[in-house]
Amino acid sequence: MNFNTLRKRHSQFIYKGYQTVLEQGNLKIAFDFLLDPDIKFNPEVILLNVSKARLDEIGPEALQNLVFNLGMVELLSYWKATCSPQIIIKAGFLNEEQIAFWQNLLIKGLGEFFYKNQIDFTQKDLVKFVRQPERLQAKYAGHLQDRDLVLVGGGKDSAVTLESISKKGGEFNCLILNPTDAAIKIAEVGGCKNPIIIRRTIDPKLLELNGQGYLNGHTPFSAYLAFLSTLVGVLYDYKNLVVSNEASSNESNLKWLGQEINHQYSKTTEFEHDFRDYSKKYLSTITNYFSFLRNLGELQIAEIFSKMDKYHKLFRSCNKGFKKGIWCGKCPKCVSTYLLLYPFLGSKTEKIFGKNLLEDENLIPVVRGLLRENGEVKPFECVATVDEIKTAISLSIKRVKTDGQEIPKLLQSFEDQKTLILGFGREGRATLDYFKKHYPNRKIGIADQSDGENYLEKLKDYDVIIKSPGIPYLPEIKEAKKQGKVITSATQFFFNNFKGKIIGITGTKGKSTTASLIYEVLKKGGMDAHLVGNIGKPALDLLDNLNENSVVVYELSSFQLEDLDKSPHIGVMTNIYPEHLDRHGDFPLYVRAKNNITKFQTSQDYLIYNQDIAEFKYIAEQSHAKKIAFSKKDKQMVSDVVHKDTIPLLGEFNLLNIVPAIIIGRLFKIPDEKIEEAIINFKPLPHRLEFVAEISGIRFYNDSLSTIPQSTVEALAALGRNVETLIAGGYDRGIDYSILGKAIAKSKIKNLILFPDTGTKIWKAVSLKIKNLKLKIRKFDTDSMQDAVEIAFKHTTPGKIVLLSPASTSFNLFKDYEDRGNQFKDFVTSFKPAD
């Protein structure tokens, strides 16, 4: 039967009501649906071991509201048989906002159903919700115990969540709907001896209609679980409803009729946010529904699960083999899961599935479907993203080679992915060397801005793009990603392949010093420590020489973090100020990029953060990691370890850079004496309040790395009131200089030597703070470092300080901050004073 015929035959779908009956300690719910004129559906839900006393405590009004809303999501499975033009709601009341929620869920949650049945869901008269006159709604507003209820389905995702929750040590239990053997065993191994069991029965009439040619297809099952778990949480007194929906679910299968069609829509971040809002307003004020794995992708979850041996023989995710509790070994779900696990388990993966799927050439078309090659639609299953499948294939090939085995037949078909290195600086060269060594047969290309303005045209000829962090997401790169090309980075590749511990450090300023201090402390403690990133060697230069006992200290900029989908074992956030706004767009987006240092951490990881910064406090609140906060008050920690006079770093702000090094040293059980020794022997980094020389009684300091006003303010505070001449200014990124104007006004500076473009803004900021400015501070404009140094020599009093601290980036006049600082040092040391 076709869509139009069924709609004419059954013009109304009526939600007549529901019944709740407590029988022998079990709560039975039966829904009453009518497909006009005369087809009745009565699906049932049975909740075991429900206390009458608890029902009385909840109250009939709140219970009825929760049951009514469960019926709303239940009816979608029955309405879809005919797509009746009207849904008549007689069982309860919905206001306009609620109707909008249900219309949105119907359209997006049934997107796959509409696509497969070729139903135009954009037609205005597709469906209308007809409600009854307004009646009192009673959401639950009582107390719930602050304990966790984990939904367990039998797959690896819920096992990872359950294991993490159980290790927290708090009170928890499991919720299982229509339990399978896999779900029961996972719950038991995870510590749930008496899980809450719910039984849902589909009315057999629906199956009969499907057999007669009525419409059939996928419904938003995870949405059903959201409403069911909210009812269960209230009935059994659990505040926190913990699901295991991962970030990969956000990737759609295709775009059709102007909308993203997503098999996993009710697992997405969008649905989770919408449901949380709906629940707070209309279901239960206190209930906290959330996904424990929201920030993790399928590949990351697979890596975590690979270390959880006790679950390996228990879990099942195959839909075809669901009832029998087996892996069919043929479907996209089986193939996706196998590929995700193989990089971490190797040949052990075969023992889970009962056979080696990588030797089955018949599965090559399935993999091509997962990769959406040749315009194929992504399989309508809960599978990994295209990028994750590509990465899993690459990692699997590497695993096979590492294990000294021949490349399996299935992987051979995908070994020749063409790879483009986009950006050929220091990191790009290291990437090329690594790939030539490990992938000698792969076609590798290079595209760099030095090739000319058309260098991005090469993107179309390659499958994998390894992008330099210095290159923004230009429109051409975004388009390449839409076409299914993998956009990754050397940092991402390192995170995927390194087996030891990574300590990541980020911050607007001070991260290089902090990273170097941490490295020195670990080395002094006898650790196999390595410093990589902007301050150390390129990470891929070291990868072959590292092992699972190695510890890598990685300085991570916002450019490196913005597209990273893994977080380090230990994340350190030092400070944050407006910077790189020309790249990120605005400060909130800059903060969001920094957030990736902890976004994918688990409860086994650590986040060390400066709690004086509001943005970091908020990020920490969202993090799953163990938190260690520090603040200005913790400078005493430094004094407890090392005498202030022996610290080779200038400025109070540098004490805060030392604190994370002490915290991490102690985390690795390094004695305080060794930490002290590392700090005392630390050599300050170039271009960071670096003493250059004293000539003719004038002291010169190079602080070229100060590219924001805040760091120049810190430099002035560190050197004190002997700073008589300040050299500042540079490339204009739209930053506010009022804080620097205030600091200069309070200082003893008599000479301001200013570079374009921000020199004008700095002078204006100072003029707003000082009356008769020209009588108190001399201003010199120049675009030459040689001229700036000569002016400084001429106008600075012996015994005073000349400070280069630009409060701006360097790109308009210099190659980079190093070039600017080196020019300053060269002109200072080569200057010949007049006799």
Side-chain angles (χ1 to χ4, degrees):
M1 297 185 195
N2 66 37
F3 171 73
N4 292 320
T5 299
L6 288 169
R7 283 167 63 83
K8 288 178 181 178
R9 182 180 298 180
H10 305 284
S11 61
Q12 292 185 336
F13 183 95
I14 305 170
Y15 181 8
K16 296 181 66 177
Y18 51 84
Q19 295 80 41
T20 58
V21 180
L22 187 64
E23 295 179 340
Q24 299 179 338
N26 300 328
L27 182 65
K28 178 181 176 181
I29 301 171
F31 296 103
D32 188 1
F33 301 142
L34 175 64
L35 184 59
D36 86 318
D38 56 5
I39 298 177
K40 295 181 179 179
F41 299 113
N42 298 112
E44 295 182 350
V45 180
I46 298 176
L47 300 94
L48 306 181
N49 303 315
V50 176
S51 152
K52 184 179 184 304
R54 179 60 181 161
L55 290 178
D56 292 340
E57 187 178 348
I58 294 168
E61 294 84 3
L63 176 64
Q64 289 169 13
N65 183 56
L66 290 166
V67 172
F68 163 66
N69 278 277
L70 180 62
M72 285 298 302
V73 72
E74 181 77 77
L75 71 79
L76 296 177
S77 297
Y78 297 85
W79 172 84
K80 77 176 191 301
T82 59
C83 294
S84 302
Q86 287 189 332
I87 296 176
I88 311 296
I89 309 298
K90 293 184 177 181
F93 174 75
L94 298 174
N95 64 26
E96 291 294 337
E97 184 178 41
Q98 288 174 285
I99 288 175
F101 170 87
W102 288 108
Q103 286 177 324
N104 184 66
L105 177 58
L106 184 147
I107 296 298
K108 293 183 178 178
L110 293 175
E112 176 186 339
F113 162 79
F114 292 133
Y115 170 74
K116 287 190 171 181
N117 288 283
Q118 291 296 289
I119 296 169
D120 182 2
F121 56 82
T122 65
Q123 56 187 284
K124 292 182 179 180
D125 61 348
L126 175 67
V127 64
K128 180 180 180 181
F129 286 82
V130 180
R131 59 186 176 177
Q132 295 298 298
E134 186 169 352
R135 66 178 73 172
L136 180 66
Q137 294 185 100
K139 64 181 176 182
Y140 180 72
H143 176 74
L144 291 174
Q145 292 191 60
D146 191 6
R147 50 185 185 169
D148 299 328
L149 184 62
V150 183
L151 280 70
V152 174
K156 69 181 187 311
D157 295 0
S158 55
V160 169
T161 295
L162 181 57
E163 185 71 6
S164 299
I165 292 292
S166 66
K167 286 182 177 179
K168 285 198 324 182
E171 189 176 353
F172 71 97
N173 201 354
C174 297
L175 166 60
I176 305 175
L177 174 63
N178 293 345
T180 61
D181 188 52
I184 291 292
K185 288 180 178 178
I186 284 176
E188 184 177 349
V189 170
C192 291
K193 304 304 180 185
N194 296 294
I196 297 171
I197 304 295
I198 310 297
R199 301 191 184 280
R200 177 195 186 196
T201 304
I202 302 294
D203 193 312
K205 289 190 188 70
L206 180 62
L207 304 180
E208 292 175 13
L209 292 179
N210 294 152
Q212 295 170 22
Y214 279 63
L215 299 171
N216 193 16
H218 178 72
T219 55
F221 180 63
S222 293
Y224 181 88
L225 291 176
F227 281 91
L228 176 65
S229 63
T230 304
L231 169 62
V232 172
V234 172
L235 283 175
Y236 295 85
D237 203 6
Y238 286 85
K239 174 184 176 181
N240 305 310
L241 311 176
V242 189
V243 294
S244 303
N245 303 328
E246 77 297 321
S248 305
S249 63
N250 291 319
E251 181 179 81
S252 65
N253 298 79
L254 77 158
K255 192 168 186 176
W256 186 60
L257 298 181
Q259 177 176 292
E260 300 293 336
I261 306 298
N262 190 347
H263 171 80
Q264 303 185 77
Y265 169 72
S266 57
K267 287 185 174 183
T268 63
T269 304
E270 177 186 337
F271 173 78
E272 183 173 332
H273 287 168
D274 288 350
F275 177 75
R276 282 172 61 87
D277 289 343
Y278 186 95
S279 180
K280 295 289 184 188
K281 290 181 179 179
Y282 302 112
L283 302 180
S284 171
T285 306
I286 195 172
T287 295
N288 180 29
Y289 170 92
F290 69 97
S291 174
F292 189 80
L293 304 178
R294 174 51 62 203
N295 293 327
L296 300 180
E298 285 274 25
L299 190 59
Q300 295 165 288
I301 294 167
E303 182 177 9
I304 297 169
F305 182 75
S306 69
K307 301 169 186 175
M308 296 163 48
D309 295 2
K310 61 184 178 181
Y311 295 97
H312 288 176
K313 293 183 179 180
L314 305 179
F315 88 108
R316 296 290 184 273
S317 299
C318 174
N319 292 324
K320 289 187 176 180
F322 178 74
K323 292 183 179 179
K324 295 181 179 179
I326 61 171
W327 298 96
C328 78
K330 298 177 181 179
C331 69
K333 183 69 174 179
C334 284
V335 175
S336 174
T337 306
Y338 200 103
L339 286 171
L340 292 170
L341 289 173
Y342 190 85
F344 313 110
L345 292 176
S347 59
K348 293 180 182 178
T349 315
E350 183 178 345
K351 296 179 181 178
I352 294 174
F353 287 80
K355 64 177 181 178
N356 186 355
L357 303 192
L358 300 184
E359 289 294 351
D360 189 346
E361 291 180 279
N362 294 321
L363 296 178
I364 291 174
V366 178
V367 178
R368 295 199 185 284
L370 290 168
L371 293 171
R372 297 178 74 170
E373 290 188 351
N374 302 318
E376 287 191 48
V377 174
K378 179 182 173 183
F380 287 103
E381 300 250 21
C382 296
V383 295
T385 66
V386 173
D387 282 0
E388 287 173 324
I389 294 296
K390 288 182 178 179
T391 303
I393 289 171
S394 177
L395 293 175
S396 294
I397 291 171
K398 182 179 180 183
R399 175 67 187 245
V400 169
K401 291 180 177 179
T402 301
D403 293 345
Q405 301 172 356
E406 290 187 11
I407 298 176
K409 296 175 183 177
L410 186 145
L411 295 179
Q412 287 177 13
S413 301
F414 303 96
E415 186 185 11
D416 60 348
Q417 286 183 317
K418 293 174 286 187
T419 300
L420 180 69
I421 298 172
L422 184 57
F424 201 55
R426 193 173 68 115
E427 187 177 88
R429 290 183 173 85
T431 303
L432 178 63
D433 292 342
Y434 184 89
F435 271 70
K436 276 187 173 180
K437 177 180 178 181
H438 291 275
Y439 305 97
N441 299 321
R442 180 179 293 194
K443 179 182 176 181
I444 300 173
I446 297 167
D448 189 75
Q449 289 171 308
S450 62
D451 298 336
E453 61 181 17
N454 297 322
Y455 73 105
L456 292 174
E457 289 184 1
K458 293 183 180 180
L459 292 173
K460 66 179 184 297
D461 299 324
Y462 292 86
D463 307 302
V464 178
I465 316 298
I466 303 177
K467 185 180 77 68
S468 164
I471 298 177
Y473 269 89
L474 299 166
E476 295 89 341
I477 299 173
K478 292 178 181 178
E479 181 60 30
K481 187 167 186 176
K482 283 183 181 179
Q483 293 171 1
K485 298 180 187 294
V486 174
I487 310 297
T488 186
S489 65
T491 302
Q492 182 71 61
F493 189 87
F494 182 85
F495 269 66
N496 286 341
N497 288 274
F498 175 53
K499 301 304 179 186
K501 289 183 169 63
I502 298 176
I503 301 171
I505 296 91
T506 197
T508 304
K509 290 299 164 190
K511 58 182 178 288
S512 296
T513 298
T514 301
S516 300
L517 280 163
I518 293 169
Y519 165 71
E520 295 295 343
V521 167
L522 296 178
K523 289 291 287 185
K524 189 62 67 174
M527 308 289 296
D528 178 26
H530 303 268
L531 182 63
V532 303
N534 295 333
I535 190 63
K537 294 183 178 180
L540 294 187
D541 274 353
L542 297 176
L543 186 54
D544 286 338
N545 301 317
L546 304 176
N547 56 55
E548 61 185 15
N549 296 316
S550 301
V551 180
V552 163
V553 183
Y554 210 134
E555 180 191 355
L556 293 165
S557 70
S558 60
F559 300 167
Q560 291 165 301
L561 286 168
E562 67 179 344
D563 54 5
L564 194 62
D565 65 9
K566 281 193 173 183
S567 295
H569 172 55
I570 300 176
V572 180
M573 299 190 297
T574 58
N575 53 57
I576 193 162
Y577 306 107
E579 192 177 35
H580 304 305
L581 303 188
D582 52 333
R583 165 74 173 262
H584 294 290
D586 58 28
F587 186 57
L589 289 175
Y590 176 53
V591 174
R592 188 166 76 178
K594 295 288 190 182
N595 179 45
N596 280 0
I597 200 164
T598 186
K599 183 177 180 179
F600 308 105
Q601 287 186 308
T602 71
S603 58
Q604 305 305 306
D605 300 316
Y606 293 88
L607 175 63
I608 300 169
Y609 68 100
N610 185 341
Q611 67 178 342
D612 292 332
I613 297 173
E615 290 83 3
F616 286 173
K617 287 181 71 174
Y618 176 77
I619 289 172
E621 287 171 2
Q622 316 306 312
S623 172
H624 293 303
K626 298 170 186 172
K627 288 100 171 171
I628 302 176
F630 67 92
S631 69
K632 293 178 181 178
K633 297 177 183 177
D634 291 306
K635 292 176 183 177
Q636 181 60 41
M637 182 190 299
V638 180
S639 300
D640 292 342
V641 173
V642 58
H643 194 280
K644 188 174 181 180
D645 292 342
T646 63
I647 297 173
L649 295 168
L650 294 172
E652 289 290 314
F653 69 95
N654 265 320
L655 297 181
L656 275 184
N657 290 332
I658 296 172
V659 170
I662 296 173
I663 293 171
I664 290 174
R666 288 173 174 172
L667 276 178
F668 282 92
K669 302 189 184 308
I670 296 172
D672 279 3
E673 309 86 69
K674 293 288 185 183
I675 298 174
E676 178 187 22
E677 190 177 344
I679 295 170
I680 290 173
N681 293 318
F682 182 75
K683 295 181 179 179
L685 303 176
H687 311 293
R688 297 156 179 86
L689 275 181
E690 175 189 14
F691 176 69
V692 177
E694 181 174 339
I695 300 173
S696 300
I698 304 170
R699 286 173 289 157
F700 290 83
Y701 283 86
N702 167 31
D703 193 40
S704 181
L705 193 62
S706 280
T707 57
I708 59 172
Q710 288 84 354
S711 57
T712 298
V713 171
E714 295 283 8
L716 290 172
L719 294 176
R721 300 174 76 79
N722 279 327
V723 178
E724 189 174 79
T725 300
L726 174 66
I727 304 173
Y731 181 69
D732 189 356
R733 295 170 295 162
I735 293 176
D736 179 15
Y737 283 88
S738 58
I739 187 174
L740 180 58
K742 183 177 179 181
I744 292 173
K746 289 184 176 181
S747 73
K748 293 294 184 179
I749 291 173
K750 293 183 179 179
N751 308 301
L752 265 180
I753 303 172
L754 300 172
F755 293 125
D757 303 308
T758 59
T760 303
K761 295 177 73 173
I762 293 170
W763 183 251
K764 183 177 180 181
V766 178
S767 66
L768 293 174
K769 300 296 179 181
I770 301 179
K771 293 181 179 179
N772 300 318
L773 175 59
K774 292 182 179 180
L775 299 178
K776 297 182 179 180
I777 298 179
R778 292 180 292 241
K779 178 172 79 81
F780 303 91
D781 295 311
T782 182
D783 58 6
S784 161
M785 183 61 76
Q786 183 175 2
D787 287 347
V789 170
E790 290 177 358
I791 293 167
F793 268 110
K794 182 176 180 180
H795 294 281
T796 306
T797 306
K800 298 298 182 179
I801 292 173
V802 173
L803 170 64
L804 168 68
S805 188
S808 314
T809 51
S810 55
F811 306 119
N812 58 333
L813 296 176
F814 307 93
K815 181 180 178 182
D816 51 31
Y817 77 88
E818 290 179 319
D819 176 42
R820 178 171 61 190
N822 287 334
Q823 284 196 34
F824 176 72
K825 291 192 289 185
D826 289 344
F827 285 124
V828 167
T829 54
S830 63
F831 183 78
K832 295 186 176 7
D835 294 333

